[in-house]
Amino acid sequence: MSSLTVTGGRALSGEIRLQGAKNSALPILAASILSAGETVIENVPDLTDVDAALEILKHLGCKTEFTDRTVWVDSTTLTRADIPDGLMRRMRSSVLFLGPILARTGEATLSMPGGCELGPRPIDLHLAAMERLGATVEERGGNLICRAPKLRGARIDLTAPSVGATENSMIAASGAAGVTLITNAAREPEIRDLGCFLAALGVRVRGAGTSTVTVEGGRLRDRARYRVIPDRIAAATYIAAVAAARGRIALRGICERDLTAVSDAFRQMGVCLLYRGDTLLVSAGERIGPPLTVTTRPYPGFPTDAQPPLMAACLRAPGTSVFVETIFENRYRHVPELLRMGADVRVDGRVAIVRGGRPLHGAIVAAPDLRGGAALAVAALMAEGETRIIETRHISRGYEDMARDLRALGAVAETED
Ligand code: EPZ
């Protein structure tokens, strides 16, 4: 079991280049099988979730290579249309392969994706969208069997702006005859990025990144090259690190427009953010505050994935911060671990009350999930002494090498296998 040990109390100083966006790379890797050809995807982060997506591509019969953050996929040799239980369980986002497999082969068999640490992760919106496009969906023996000899363009009215359901709809619609209209679509930057990738494949896409998207399938190119956008949640995590530890850092390769709600929240608590082109200068002094009231919302609201790291940073702001988590029902699993470090946080359902300004002390804590693990690393930077974070496999799902990045920013951080 690997662990990350962070010694707190040092102000940060240094710079890093941001990794590519995990939540953009995953749907784009899934969409790469739409056409029988070769795609080259650049700026792909080196993560265990990306490894899981490449395992699925190989299971389907594709050839893949991943070197120096560039993935090459040859999907001409795709022969299968199923994702077995083991691969589905490795990564909840495997459901993103449903639309692509259906569009490419006319059928798809996936084992029912389980819930995850964040709570039940239903896929009803994904399945309803596939049915709107002409697929039949049958559940048999814990497997989902979808069939669509020919997908037809349709109107898909999403009852919630689900990121994954929007992405599955866009990708499946790319292989459908005719035009598909998706309403109440998620507007996250990663959706816009997927739309740009699909356009590189020759798909006519309009409105990706807005709540109304139209997709017209047709002849797909047999090769495309695309570069993934920067990871805005990794950026939010390292901004939280400075807010917690004090200091001044530079984050390179950043996209300011993707971070509006995040920038507003940190500026409200006295963190200084200066965007210069694709570089963000972040600084925080001895005191931060006032405390915040933050409600997570679908984009362009405050992102749920940045809630745990921001909560950790709020532990330094004297006073009471209030969090309302509206997206996932179980996204405060980092709180019991923060309490072990001396934090004062009370959770009541979707609401967390954070009393900041108290000193934290190092402890042995366990990463409960990806962003909860990131929150513990942020808290460790401001804690007195050494904090050892175990179960860091969760952190490796979404951060290339947190110890490497924290050291580059001047922190004392070591990984032990
Ligand atoms: C994506 O998950 C991200 N993952 C998540 O990031 C992110 O937290 C989430 O969007 C919200 O922004 C990837 O992009 C790989 P949703 P996704 O469908 O697509 C409910 C991280 O830390 N829902 O927008 O699964 C669902 O239960 C991860 O990087 C249905 O009810 O999110 C949840 O309450 C964690 N039925 C809400 O919608 C459905 O069919 C939002 O889910 C689908 C979703």
Side-chain angles (χ1 to χ4, degrees), residues 22-24 26-27 49 91-96 116-128 158-167 186 188 190 231-233 297-299 303-306 325-329 331 350 369-372 397-399:
K22 165 178 86 78
N23 293 347
S24 192
L26 293 176
D49 269 9
M91 179 180 67
R92 198 220 153 261
S93 314
S94 308
V95 69
L96 291 173
C116 75
E117 313 88 0
L118 306 180
R121 301 287 291 274
I123 60 167
D124 54 312
L125 302 180
H126 298 246
L127 300 179
L158 291 173
T159 53
S162 154
V163 172
T166 302
E167 291 165 343
E188 272 69 4
E190 293 76 23
D231 194 312
R232 61 193 171 100
I233 305 302
R297 297 270 185 227
Y299 194 89
T304 174
D305 295 346
E325 173 56 62
T326 68
I327 306 294
F328 291 112
E329 63 184 43
R331 198 161 209 173
R350 300 268 184 154
D369 52 55
L370 166 55
R371 306 303 176 181
R397 288 187 44 219
Y399 297 88

Side-chain angles (χ1 to χ4, degrees), residues 187-264:
R187 295 183 274 168
E188 272 69 4
E190 293 76 23
I191 306 272
R192 183 186 71 230
D193 211 28
L194 174 62
C196 294
F197 172 73
L198 294 173
L201 275 180
V203 181
R204 280 184 287 283
V205 184
R206 280 202 310 279
T210 74
S211 50
T212 304
V213 184
T214 57
V215 178
E216 185 172 357
R219 267 189 57 73
L220 298 175
R221 297 191 184 108
D222 60 3
R223 60 188 56 240
R225 175 179 286 268
Y226 190 74
R227 182 175 181 80
V228 166
I229 58 173
D231 194 312
R232 61 193 171 100
I233 305 302
T237 304
Y238 292 115
I239 295 170
V242 177
R246 296 163 293 124
R248 174 190 300 271
I249 68 167
L251 299 177
R252 302 209 180 284
I254 203 159
C255 181
E256 178 177 3
R257 69 171 172 173
D258 294 349
L259 281 158
T260 307
V262 168
S263 303
D264 291 350

